Each structure stands twice: as structure tokens, then as C-alpha cells.
Amino acid sequence: MTQEAATVARGLEGIYVAETKLCRIDGQKGELVYSGYDIYDLADNSSFEEVAFLLWNQRLPSRAELAELKEALRRERPLSPLNTRLLNEMNGLVRPMRALEIAVTAAGALDRNSSDLSQPALRRQAALLTARMGTVVAAFHRLREGKPIVAPRDDLNHAANFLWMLKGEEPSELEAHIFNVALILHAEHEMNASTFAAIVTASTQSDLYSAIASAIGTLKGPLHGGANDAVFRTLQAIGSEDNIEKYIDEMLASGERMMGFGHRVYKTTDPRAIILERLGHQLAEVSPEAKWFHMSTKLRDYLLQKFEGRPLYPNVDFFSASVYKMLGIPNDLYTPIFAVARIAGWSAHLLEQYADNRLVRPNALYEGADNRPYVPVDERG
Ligand SMILES: CC(C)(COP(=O)(O)OP(=O)(O)OC[C@H]1O[C@@H](n2cnc3c(N)ncnc32)[C@H](O)[C@@H]1OP(=O)(O)O)[C@@H](O)C(=O)NCCC(=O)NCCS
């Protein structure tokens, strides 16, 4: 196509860049489906480990396959000595998303087969990172609190083990259940920005670790995964329910966006926000931090009224902020936890990409000057 005939799809909106068997979203109806299974069904019945298997294989596992995957994940949970040293060195110097990116790069550096792009090798790498990233985030937090790193426990599932490593105490059944569902909800979401970043990196036949590091760097921004932390900071700034209207009116009047609202694909409430709100009600009955959840429901009601007539609704990040707060998780870990879940989806897309790769190399429409004569530096005015 000539430059004259080309148009730019800003933000690649409406452009399909891949075929996938992993995830279907209907943004008008508010539907989210992982390989044929509705997100409501998975949230009610499944586990994060099972969803990871589903994404990597496009089918649910047998009992034996699930046990095998759980065992593989348990084996990979402990930190490598290099990771432990790096986390200690970085303590107090870097923020958690950077620490996670560095840890993934370090895991790649230690993997002698990192450049093996065969499907069995990629599956091993995906399992390693899926198991390890939670340990890294928990250890990062323990060290900055001046507390010893808590070793993973083999008798706990992925969700419960993360809360155990983070806090050094076993979560209640309700907490473990809700965190498991939160991980499922964040595990996959079609061609979002971080998944696309991973795909672009992989399309050059760079390795999976580098692709995941690209994804983590992309998830960090407040327009993507960073929104959950930003939502909590907004709740903090609002302070109390009676300040919602004044704060929001001023914020929107100054042109600022409300994080956790709006979505490129959903033009109705994100189903993940609906599920998180339901879980939030359960947690609010027992959590000393219920205030943030109650504020969130009031804030949502007010924003829906403010945005009436516009396709702006709560997305996954809106209620994850107060739900994570009620689970006793510090707000700067919300985005790293998003990555701890999304590694399942990222790596599943990478399995698809490496199996049928073509370099991702779009074009840019040139709008600069042409036909300029070169002037030596001393002759320039
Ligand atoms: C997610 C998001 C980046 C999608 O953006 P997009 O599809 O590119 O939509 P645009 O940025 O073009 O926004 C469209 C319009 O809605 C407005 N808008 C979008 N999200 C908004 C928000 N959260 N608060 C206030 N206004 C918003 C924009 O200002 C724009 O208005 P305009 O047409 O008058 O200029 C955007 O909704 C946003 O910034 N949300 C907050 C961040 C967030 O929660 N991200 C997590 C997504 S899971």
C-alpha cells in the first residue's frame, strides 16, 4: 500500500493482529470467555492452576494432569540464590514492578535453554515463571519490611501459598478463595497492551523471558495494569464517603481521568468487576478495611451518574483495589499481583505465537519534511 492510501489506526483500535484460541471478549454484552469457558463459571468452580492448564492446552485437565501441573509449579516456587541476592541488593532502591522485571530477566539468564523455542521448552519456562513470580513479589515485600523471606509451602495451592509467603500467616478459607478467584480473573484478556508487547518481542524470535519482561514493563503503566494502584490512591485521597462528590467533580473538571473506569473493549461493566464486587461484599463482612469497599460502591454509583450517556463503566481494576486492601495487601503490590496472574495468559499467547510466528513489523505514516539539502554543521545558522 502506498503512503498516500494509508490511514493510521491510532492505538491500533479495531485492528486484529493475531488468531487465538485462548480468549473471546464481547465488549457490548460484557462477556469474557477463556477457551470456551465463561468467566463466571470458572470463577465459581475453578482454580488458578486449572485455568493455567486450560490456557496452555485449550482444555481442562484430568485429575492426574492437574496433579502433575501442581507438582511442577511447586518445584519451581523457591527463589534461586541469584534472585535472592538481587532482591537483597535492590531492597529500598526499586519499586516492585521493576524488581519483578529484573527477577524475570535473572531467571532467563540462569536458564541455559532460554533460547530453546520448542514447545516443550517453552512450556517448562512458562511453568517456571508462573510458579516463581509470586515468590518474587512476596519476598520483595518481606525484605522491604525488614522481615525474613517466607519459604513456599507445598501443602498450599498457588493462591493460598502467595498470601502465606507475603504475610507469614495462613490465609482464612475465604481469603484464599477470593484471591484464587482474583488470579483467575486476571489470568488472561485477549490482545491487551502487555500481551501485544510480549508478542512483538517474541516475533523477533527473542526468548520467552525477554517477551515476559517486555510485558511486565508494559503492564506497569496507569492506563493498563497500574490502574488498580491508582484507584486505591484515589480512594485514599477522597478519604471518606461524604467527600466523593466534591473530589470527583473537581478531578473530572480538571481533565483528570478516573482510573478503574473505561475500557477499550468493554462498553458495559467489565464482568470481572461484577465478580470482584460480589466477592467484595463477602470480604467486607469480616475485614477491618471494609471502609474502602463501601466507598468504592458509592464512588461507582456516583461515577455512573456523572458519565451517564457515555460508555464509561467500571473495569477489573476498580474493585480489585478495595478487595486487595481487604486481603491486607499493600497497594503498590496490586500491579505486580496482576502480573503474577497474567503470566498464565501471556505465556499461553507466546506458545501460540512461537508455534506460528511471523515478525510483527507494522508501518508508520511519514509526516516529516522531504528533500532537504544537507548543510555542514559549521554552516548552519
Ligand atoms: C482504558 C482506557 C485507556 C481506554 O481508552 P481508549 O479506548 O483509548 O479511550 P480514549 O482514551 O480515547 O477515551 C475516550 C473518551 O472517554 C474519556 N475517558 C476514557 N476513560 C476515562 C476515564 N477513566 N475517566 C474519564 N474519562 C475517560 C476520554 O477522556 C475520552 O473523552 P473525549 O472523547 O471527550 O476525549 C481509558 O478508558 C482510561 O484511561 N481508563 C482509566 C485507566 C484504566 O482504568 N485502565 C485500566 C483498563 S483495564
Side-chain angles (χ1 to χ4, degrees):
M1 190 192 291
T2 61
Q3 287 244 336
E4 290 70 39
T7 51
V8 173
R10 284 196 77 228
L12 296 184
E13 183 165 6
I15 304 290
Y16 288 76
V17 296
E19 288 161 339
T20 180
K21 293 189 164 63
L22 303 179
C23 181
R24 180 177 68 72
I25 304 172
D26 186 323
Q28 299 298 331
K29 293 189 191 147
E31 281 178 4
L32 171 59
V33 175
Y34 294 172
S35 288
Y37 294 94
D38 191 272
I39 196 66
Y40 287 97
D41 212 3
L42 292 171
D44 280 348
N45 298 302
S46 193
S47 65
F48 174 73
E49 290 91 326
E50 193 173 59
V51 166
F53 186 100
L54 170 66
L55 294 170
W56 294 337
N57 299 282
Q58 292 85 59
R59 65 177 175 83
L60 289 171
S62 67
R63 191 175 287 281
E65 286 169 328
L66 184 58
E68 197 183 316
L69 174 63
K70 285 182 173 176
E71 178 48 33
L73 292 176
R74 276 197 290 269
R75 264 201 313 274
E76 299 292 1
R77 280 176 181 168
L79 290 176
S80 65
L82 174 63
N83 243 189
T84 312
R85 267 206 323 277
L86 283 171
L87 282 168
N88 273 297
E89 286 289 323
M90 293 186 294
N91 190 8
L93 297 176
V94 301
R95 289 201 283 252
M97 281 299 269
R98 184 81 63 203
L100 191 56
E101 203 179 319
I102 291 168
V104 167
T105 303
L110 290 178
D111 184 346
R112 287 180 191 183
N113 298 316
S114 64
S115 57
D116 183 346
L117 304 184
S118 68
Q119 290 284 313
L122 292 167
R123 281 164 184 272
R124 272 197 306 278
Q125 295 161 8
L128 184 150
L129 290 181
T130 302
R132 192 73 57 78
M133 281 168 56
T135 316
V136 169
V137 173
F140 172 91
H141 178 63
R142 301 287 300 178
L143 290 172
R144 73 176 172 179
E145 297 262 285
K147 294 177 181 160
I149 292 175
V150 176
R153 257 178 55 185
D154 283 353
D155 59 327
L156 297 176
N157 72 13
H158 197 73
N161 177 59
F162 175 79
L163 295 174
W164 157 252
M165 292 188 299
L166 187 72
K167 299 203 248 177
E169 43 185 78
E170 209 175 306
S172 69
E173 224 172 276
L174 179 67
E175 288 170 333
H177 164 68
I178 287 179
F179 193 63
N180 175 56
V181 177
L183 291 178
I184 292 173
L185 299 181
H186 286 84
E188 163 56 15
H189 212 231
E190 201 230 38
M191 196 49 69
N192 53 86
S194 55
T195 300
F196 185 54
I199 295 262
V200 172
T201 302
S203 84
T204 69
Q205 294 195 340
S206 180
D207 60 75
L208 181 136
Y209 296 94
S210 293
I212 298 299
S214 302
I216 292 172
T218 307
L219 185 71
K220 180 152 59 74
L223 296 189
H224 191 7
N228 48 17
D229 180 17
V231 169
F232 186 72
R233 284 186 277 113
T234 303
L235 291 170
Q236 263 181 324
I238 294 173
S240 65
E241 286 182 22
D242 51 14
N243 194 32
I244 289 176
E245 296 192 10
K246 181 172 177 295
Y247 187 93
I248 292 299
D249 289 353
E250 284 173 11
M251 191 184 100
L252 295 178
S254 74
E256 252 186 86
R257 289 180 178 210
M258 176 63 216
M259 297 292 125
F261 252 72
H263 200 275
R264 175 63 64 79
V265 182
Y266 292 116
K267 300 305 166 199
T268 182
T269 300
D270 181 334
R272 301 168 299 174
I274 295 173
I275 296 169
L276 283 168
E277 184 180 0
R278 283 181 193 164
L279 298 173
H281 282 292
Q282 293 176 36
L283 258 187
E285 283 176 25
V286 292
S287 169
E289 301 284 359
K291 162 189 170 177
W292 306 106
F293 176 70
H294 295 312
M295 256 175 85
S296 299
T297 59
K298 294 264 173 352
L299 176 58
R300 181 267 321 273
D301 293 345
Y302 187 61
L303 283 162
L304 286 178
Q305 196 185 312
K306 283 289 281 187
F307 291 141
E308 206 185 339
R310 304 181 68 193
L312 293 173
Y313 298 89
N315 60 49
V316 67
D317 297 309
F318 188 78
F319 281 110
S320 62
S322 51
V323 166
Y324 289 159
K325 186 68 190 166
M326 290 192 288
L327 288 173
I329 301 173
N331 59 294
D332 66 347
L333 298 188
Y334 298 173
T335 312
I337 286 171
F338 194 148
V340 164
R342 186 55 60 83
I343 177 65
W346 285 334
S347 48
H349 280 280
L350 291 172
L351 290 173
E352 285 189 332
Q353 181 67 30
Y354 285 118
D356 183 21
N357 186 55
R358 187 161 189 235
L359 176 73
V360 177
R361 201 303 189 189
N363 299 103
L365 195 57
Y366 182 64
E367 288 191 332
D370 263 325
N371 299 320
R372 302 164 102 181
Y374 184 83
V375 181
V377 67
D378 293 335
E379 295 168 28
R380 286 173 215 156

